[in-house]
Amino acid sequence: MPDKIRRLLPLLGHSGGSRDAMTCLYRCGNACDHPVPNTSDNDYLGDVVNAGMSRRGVIRAGAVGGMVLGFGGALTSSAPALAGGTSHGGSHGGGKPVKAGRLTFEAVAPNTADAVTIPKGYRSSVVIRWGDAVVPGAPAFDVHNQTVAAQLKQFGYNNDFVGVLPVPGESDRALLVVNHEYTNENLIFPGFTTLDALTVDQIKIAMAAHGLSVVELERVKRTGEWKPVEGKRLRYNRRITALETRFSLTGPAAGHVLLRTAADPEGRTVIGTLNNCAGGVTPWGTVLSGEENVNQYFVGGDQAPEELKAKLTRYGITTTARYPSDSRKWERAQERFDLAKHPNEAHRFGWIVEVDPFDPEAPPRKHTAMGRFKHEGANVIVADNGRVVAYMGDDERFDYLYKFVSDKKFLKGNSPAARRHNLSLLESGTLYVAKVTGDSPASEIDGTGKLPTDGRFDGKGKWIKLVSGNTSFVPGMTAADVLIFTRQAGDAVGATKMDRPEDVQPSLRTGKIYAAMTNNTNRGVGTNAAVDEANPRNANKHGHIFEITEDRGDHTGTGFTWQLPIVCGDPAAADTYFGGYDKTAVSPISCPDNVAFDSAGNLWISTDGNALGSNDGLFATPVEGRERGHLKQFLTVPRGAETCGPFVTGDDRSVFVAVQHPGEITGATVEKPASVWPDGDFAKPAVIVTWRPDGGPIGS
Ligand code: FEO
Ligand code: CA
Ligand code: CA
């Protein structure tokens, strides 16, 4: 980083790394201050089955799933136009050679401004913010007189995942689907003192501010700008909350005795969703959402049945205190959050949720076949053989990467029967966990980030089968055990401990899969797992990107090769790597979190917790050809905020970003905000859109 920029970067206050202490408390229940939940002694150097491993020529997989997410003129029919998309609608390689992307925007400099900063020649606007009306009849937002009834109809707090799905048959209408991961009561309630002092109604307001929102958008005058449709006849607008929405459990573990509670003796219906972090858009036009740090909502773990305690602990739930100091106190509003009384309630969270935004009456579903852990998100690709494959990360230090392969095949076409069929794809299949090895001698991975003599952090990997339908492949665990306690199943088979796997997403251009390892300051520290070639830095502050190439391009197979295309940090530092690109020409990046692609296949990366002292941001880089690793910062978010989303529309004309927890800096309140973005009064999480007024494609 040039000194001139470095001087502009006074350190923001933080604890245990780069995030503010307030974020640590509210977002993940101070996860970094707790012992690492993975105490298994998994070995990194396992034997990797690599029969037939060969470098891919041109990936053809996903040709079915690579249909265009039709924004603009490309939208010609209904359901098929929705296909193609994880977080974008780029058409897949389909056998054609992949062209190198090129990004021509002028990089934004790192900064600590209380503003959104975008490249010259671009524009941005707020699409929707906390408190804005979602459901018809929502009252105007009044922070001093907020009610449960109002929040149930208004946009929730702390927007995270962003998906934008075109409304069939209408090129200028789309559905915005957003996660609301968590609340920060210090910044929501004027006069806040302590969580214990909150009224029960205030706790219910927080519960109503969790969940998801579905908001119908319209394009502004043929530009890349979008805004909410207003009026009373909104067909799709919807709030999904932790307080009242009913979810159906699907898959092999639905109805299992460990999922039954006093309120739900059948074990098939759950009220609410918690801590929804990232997600993905499926090729059949639904949204997946990951339930992540769900542990912090529960108390009473010390009085849970003895045989459950080790299992609860592996999921980060405190079993040594009646009321952990960093819990959210929701048991004061709803007894189910007290495990002393309802020990199975915790098992009903930590799933992948599927929402059909085009059917507001349909209950959202929690898919047990996809396993239970701290789900960051899930992104789907259609394999050559028609099965759908979802890639997933468990966002905790030293936890694992997973994939799910459906039993059934994706059906093309937009008939009601095809859609009904596709809606069942994630209810049955096979769950795998990743085990990886490096190809360089262990002695060359010294923990400093120095490249081994072959010039790359790279190697091979194997997807280890955990469970398929009702058949378990983990000795000593039933299929239901594997699905409900998936972390322990990963431990048992020796999965590779990674540096906090966040968003994992296949590129529909190349079929390669990209996973963000956000950071892990415990790597190689004390008795924690040592470095390995896939997680090569001690006390990894800045994270890295993990790129997977499935053998023979088969997403349903069990072998892969991998590389680290980007090892994040200050490009001037010796421990960083940008695909071999000239490091004087790239932007500093720290703590990659969410990833997305534009239709050219460029990788977009948003950050959470910039440990270089500047605000978080959004970055983009080509991943193929000579420009691979030429990473540039596209925007920055205001003080205290994290950059979430992101989502590039299929026509490349708009990029959406969720600005999460602006002003979340210790000591801040509604009355004394650390950020006044976006309205000049107090901080409000909001979704923004950025576009080019000349109508050109974003980035290039
Ligand atoms: Fe909610 Fe993994 O960040
Ligand atoms: Ca190597
Ligand atoms: Ca995240």
Side-chain angles (χ1 to χ4, degrees):
M1 190 189 321
D3 277 352
K4 159 175 101 186
I5 293 174
R6 200 188 307 272
R7 283 195 303 273
L8 292 173
L9 304 179
L11 276 176
L12 298 173
H14 62 79
S15 118
S18 49
R19 276 268 70 109
D20 190 89
M22 206 188 216
T23 303
C24 295
L25 170 65
Y26 282 113
R27 199 254 305 283
C28 48
N30 287 333
C32 297
D33 294 340
H34 290 259
V36 169
N38 189 353
T39 56
S40 67
D41 55 2
N42 287 350
D43 198 354
Y44 164 66
L45 293 166
D47 62 322
V48 171
V49 174
N50 55 20
M53 271 192 177
S54 63
R55 294 218 179 245
R56 173 193 64 87
V58 175
I59 291 269
R60 289 178 301 107
V64 176
M67 287 181 292
V68 172
L69 177 68
F71 272 96
L75 187 69
T76 52
S77 59
S78 51
L82 296 168
T86 39
S87 286
H88 70 101
S91 69
H92 196 278
K96 283 179 291 188
V98 174
K99 273 195 298 186
R102 186 164 155 75
L103 293 159
T104 57
F105 67 89
E106 192 177 321
V108 165
N111 65 74
T112 56
D114 188 28
V116 169
T117 312
I118 56 175
K120 273 186 208 136
Y122 285 76
R123 289 206 187 138
S124 76
S125 66
V126 171
V127 179
I128 190 165
R129 60 174 76 58
W130 169 47
D132 283 353
V134 172
V135 178
F141 181 57
D142 178 355
V143 76
H144 296 285
N145 293 289
Q146 181 64 315
T147 66
V148 181
Q151 183 62 75
L152 283 168
K153 292 182 170 178
Q154 295 165 339
F155 197 65
Y157 201 73
N158 270 346
N159 31 224
D160 195 317
F161 168 77
V162 174
V164 183
L165 297 83
V167 173
E170 297 189 52
S171 60
D172 294 333
R173 291 277 174 121
L175 300 188
L176 173 74
V177 185
V178 176
N179 283 348
H180 302 293
E181 185 179 21
Y182 71 99
T183 48
N184 181 328
E185 281 73 346
N186 294 55
L187 303 183
I188 283 182
F189 299 116
F192 176 89
T193 54
T194 65
L195 288 177
D196 285 310
L198 293 179
T199 66
V200 166
D201 259 11
Q202 284 177 314
I203 295 171
K204 288 184 174 174
I205 288 169
M207 295 172 76
H210 277 65
L212 293 91
S213 291
V214 179
V215 182
E216 189 171 354
L217 301 182
E218 61 188 347
R219 189 189 292 279
V220 178
K221 295 186 199 130
R222 300 186 178 181
T223 67
E225 184 181 15
W226 294 78
K227 66 172 190 189
V229 176
E230 290 178 7
K232 295 197 171 114
R233 299 186 58 197
L234 293 164
R235 291 167 288 177
Y236 304 110
N237 282 25
R238 177 183 189 186
R239 276 304 321 281
I240 291 167
T241 70
L243 184 65
E244 3 184 86
T245 308
R246 293 168 77 85
F247 286 73
S248 302
L249 287 162
T250 78
H256 190 272
V257 64
L258 282 169
L259 299 179
R260 296 178 198 161
T261 63
D264 175 30
E266 301 288 317
R268 293 181 181 276
T269 307
V270 183
I271 304 295
T273 186
L274 297 175
N275 216 259
N276 299 74
C277 191
V281 177
T282 67
W284 50 96
T286 63
V287 165
L288 305 179
S289 170
E291 295 186 317
E292 195 194 40
N293 291 296
V294 303
N295 52 304
Q296 57 180 310
Y297 298 85
F298 295 95
V299 301
D302 65 324
Q303 291 177 42
E306 281 307 315
E307 69 274 14
L308 272 185
K309 282 190 178 170
K311 293 175 165 137
L312 294 170
T313 304
R314 183 67 180 83
Y315 281 78
I317 291 173
T318 300
T319 56
T320 51
R322 181 78 179 87
Y323 296 103
S325 60
D326 33 32
S327 85
R328 291 185 156 266
K329 322 280 183 189
W330 283 16
E331 73 285 355
R332 293 177 49 225
Q334 291 186 348
E335 190 186 86
R336 64 183 171 130
F337 294 106
D338 186 349
L339 300 177
K341 295 170 182 160
H342 305 282
N344 286 346
E345 188 68 8
H347 309 145
R348 291 147 63 84
F349 298 89
W351 301 103
I352 287 292
V353 165
E354 183 173 10
V355 174
D356 182 355
F358 294 99
D359 185 357
E361 302 303 318
R365 292 170 295 155
K366 299 191 181 194
H367 291 308
T368 68
M370 300 175 82
R372 176 173 165 266
F373 40 93
K374 290 192 178 181
H375 276 288
E376 172 75 11
N379 282 286
V380 168
I381 189 168
V382 180
D384 270 354
N385 62 17
R387 295 182 202 277
V388 303
V389 182
Y391 291 89
M392 306 180 284
D394 182 344
D395 179 10
E396 184 106 47
R397 296 164 292 170
F398 304 109
D399 259 294
Y400 310 135
L401 279 166
Y402 296 86
K403 81 171 177 184
F404 169 85
V405 180
S406 69
D407 286 338
K408 295 193 243 175
K409 295 181 177 178
F410 176 73
L411 282 186
K412 287 194 260 186
N414 56 0
S415 69
R419 188 133 203 284
R420 235 181 353 261
H421 169 87
N422 291 333
L423 284 168
S424 73
L425 290 173
L426 302 179
E427 295 184 353
S428 63
T430 304
L431 185 63
Y432 300 85
V433 70
K435 180 163 186 154
V436 303
T437 53
D439 68 359
S440 293
S443 59
E444 292 187 6
I445 309 301
D446 65 4
T448 66
K450 184 177 157 212
L451 289 171
T453 50
D454 70 354
R456 277 181 182 165
F457 296 118
D458 62 349
K460 292 172 178 173
K462 176 175 164 42
W463 293 109
I464 303 173
K465 195 188 287 190
L466 297 175
V467 59
S468 187
N470 286 308
T471 304
S472 166
F473 295 92
V474 182
M477 295 180 82
T478 65
D481 284 342
V482 173
L483 295 173
I484 298 170
F485 304 112
T486 308
R487 282 183 162 186
Q488 283 92 335
D491 299 344
V493 301
T496 300
K497 296 176 174 180
M498 304 297 288
D499 283 352
R500 282 189 62 195
E502 297 244 27
D503 213 358
V504 189
Q505 187 151 336
S507 162
L508 299 189
R509 291 297 288 188
T510 65
K512 294 178 190 173
I513 298 100
Y514 293 81
M517 302 297 134
T518 205
N519 60 43
N520 182 355
T521 51
N522 284 43
R523 172 68 65 179
V525 174
T527 57
N528 290 299
V531 290
D532 55 42
E533 195 164 342
N535 301 278
R537 288 187 295 185
N538 285 320
N540 179 7
K541 276 200 305 191
H542 299 301
H544 53 272
I545 303 292
F546 187 75
E547 178 191 71
I548 294 170
T549 303
E550 297 277 26
D551 288 351
R552 299 173 301 281
D554 179 7
H555 293 87
T556 66
T558 56
F560 61 89
T561 54
W562 63 268
Q563 286 190 37
L564 305 189
I566 295 176
V567 180
C568 300
D570 180 345
D575 70 342
T576 57
Y577 176 74
F578 293 85
Y581 202 84
D582 173 5
K583 294 209 293 179
T584 64
V586 306
S587 296
I589 180 172
S590 175
C591 304
D593 186 335
N594 301 119
V595 293
F597 296 93
D598 59 29
S599 69
N602 297 309
L603 177 66
W604 293 70
I605 306 167
S606 62
T607 66
D608 167 17
N610 191 332
L612 293 167
S614 56
N615 288 356
D616 275 318
L618 177 64
F619 301 77
T621 177
V623 286
E624 297 290 331
R626 281 192 309 199
E627 289 286 301
R628 176 172 161 99
H630 189 183
L631 176 129
K632 294 195 286 186
Q633 179 148 25
F634 183 76
L635 61 73
T636 57
V637 295
R639 294 191 69 209
E642 156 181 359
T643 317
C644 299
F647 189 96
V648 185
T649 54
D651 62 2
D652 285 336
R653 291 176 66 194
S654 317
V655 57
F656 288 78
V657 161
V659 178
Q660 197 191 46
H661 60 74
E664 190 165 69
I665 294 171
T666 298
T669 61
V670 174
E671 296 85 354
K672 269 181 56 187
S675 164
V676 296
W677 187 87
D679 299 324
D681 45 8
F682 54 93
K684 303 178 195 86
V687 174
I688 61 170
V689 61
T690 302
W691 73 98
R692 270 170 66 167
D694 65 3
I698 285 284
S700 54

